[in-house]
Amino acid sequence: MSDLALKTYALSFAYDEGNELFCNVDFELHCGEIAVICGSSGCGKSTFCQCRVGIIPEIYDGYLTGKRELFGVDVATLRLPDMADRLFMVFQEPGAQLFSPTIEDELCFAPENLCWEHSLIEQKLTAALEKAGMSAFRYASPNELSGGQQQKIALACAFTVSPRLYIFDEALSQLDKEARLEMLVIIKQLAAEGNAVLMIEHSRENMHIADKIYKLEQKQLILQPKE
Ligand SMILES: Nc1ncnc2c1ncn2[C@@H]1O[C@H](COP(=O)(O)OP(=O)(O)OP(=O)(O)O)[C@@H](O)[C@H]1O
Ligand SMILES: [Mg+2]
């Protein structure tokens, strides 16, 4: 598998014809790297990530041009199930991605669909809940949880799958300071283990862990100078 986790060539996208959110964007993310994308609200950060992992135009319609590669393979040739063990995206609204009756079911959903051995699922599930500080909630319903707890479970789902590419769309936004700092350590560790991490962030307090910070503005992704 290529260690170039994500690459885009001249990527442009508009929900409405002629009204591009970004134009001709070239971007690369290597394994072992953490990149942050920031930018003003509504500038198209979430949309940019959804384009790169195939949610757009697979699920949401629009006008997409350019090329996207995931680990060296053209995303247009991949089916969503082919990507399931390579990347995990934690969405901006954690509640939107939790749909199972219990946390345990939620964490098992992807591995069971990937046909993992039961013993491996159990091992990964236990470790992921512990990492997220949510072991006590294994049999709870996602609906009973606060926004911050839902966010921890969405992160635990990512840890269970252990992909090589993690995309976190403001995935720490509802955590308290202690949990947020713990999660930043875990994210740094994921990159140190050779995984690629792409974070969309509003909070400057989370950006220091990035190797590269990009700002989406005026339809371009602009690499920011190191502070
Ligand atoms: N499925 C959709 N269909 C049509 N328009 C959409 C859709 N999703 C988002 N938009 C619009 O596209 C623009 C960019 O939205 P997006 O969510 O990508 O921005 P963002 O930078 O992630 O914003 P925020 O910082 O608030 O999360 C916004 O004007 C939004 O209303
Ligand atoms: Mg967004």
Side-chain angles (χ1 to χ4, degrees):
M1 202 189 286
S2 163
D3 94 327
L4 186 51
L6 274 176
K7 185 169 173 72
T8 70
Y9 308 86
L11 196 71
S12 305
F13 179 76
Y15 287 108
D16 309 307
E17 196 169 10
N19 196 8
E20 276 84 14
L21 285 169
F22 43 86
C23 263
N24 291 324
V25 170
D26 295 332
F27 175 84
E28 284 187 6
L29 175 68
H30 290 263
C31 290
E33 264 183 354
I34 302 178
V36 160
I37 296 179
C38 60
S40 57
S41 197
C43 70
K45 303 179 295 297
S46 297
T47 300
F48 186 60
C49 289
Q50 289 166 5
C51 285
R52 278 174 308 167
V53 302
I55 294 171
I56 291 173
E58 188 90 20
I59 295 174
Y60 297 130
D61 263 348
Y63 299 84
L64 181 78
T65 59
K67 201 170 167 197
R68 303 152 295 163
E69 284 181 3
L70 191 62
F71 298 105
V73 182
D74 186 343
V75 170
T77 68
L78 289 169
R79 297 170 313 129
L80 286 180
D82 297 327
M83 304 188 206
D85 60 348
R86 298 185 200 183
L87 75 96
F88 197 101
M89 180 160 171
V90 175
F91 291 90
Q92 194 165 355
E93 290 300 330
Q97 80 187 96
L98 306 179
F99 54 87
S100 303
T102 69
I103 303 304
E104 181 186 64
D105 293 336
E106 191 64 50
L107 267 69
C108 289
F109 180 79
E112 281 177 350
N113 280 281
L114 290 165
C115 301
W116 290 5
E117 291 282 336
H118 181 74
S119 57
L120 177 64
I121 298 177
E122 176 60 33
Q123 182 193 322
K124 293 273 198 176
L125 159 77
T126 311
L129 280 173
E130 202 168 311
K131 217 174 196 177
M134 291 297 284
S135 302
F137 293 85
R138 179 167 175 157
Y139 304 106
S141 157
N143 299 327
E144 294 164 14
L145 305 183
S146 68
Q149 289 169 331
Q150 287 187 342
Q151 225 161 26
K152 288 184 187 174
I153 292 302
L155 288 158
C157 289
F159 302 150
T160 307
V161 175
S162 321
R164 285 202 77 198
L165 166 62
Y166 293 81
I167 301 181
F168 297 128
D169 189 349
E170 300 195 40
L172 316 183
S173 61
Q174 299 182 52
L175 303 186
D176 60 31
K177 186 171 179 193
E178 190 186 348
R180 191 173 56 74
L181 293 177
E182 279 171 19
M183 216 45 91
L184 289 173
V185 171
I186 292 170
I187 292 172
K188 269 216 88 80
Q189 184 61 31
L190 292 174
E193 288 163 2
N195 302 296
V197 180
L198 178 60
M199 300 170 73
I200 299 177
E201 274 300 331
H202 265 306
S203 169
R204 295 202 72 79
E205 291 174 321
N206 296 339
M207 293 185 195
H208 67 274
I209 66 165
D211 299 299
K212 290 179 182 155
I213 300 177
Y214 298 86
K215 190 166 186 184
L216 184 55
E217 64 180 352
Q218 295 178 343
K219 307 185 186 192
Q220 298 297 313
L221 203 56
I222 299 159
L223 183 62
Q224 303 297 290
K226 287 242 179 210
E227 283 183 1

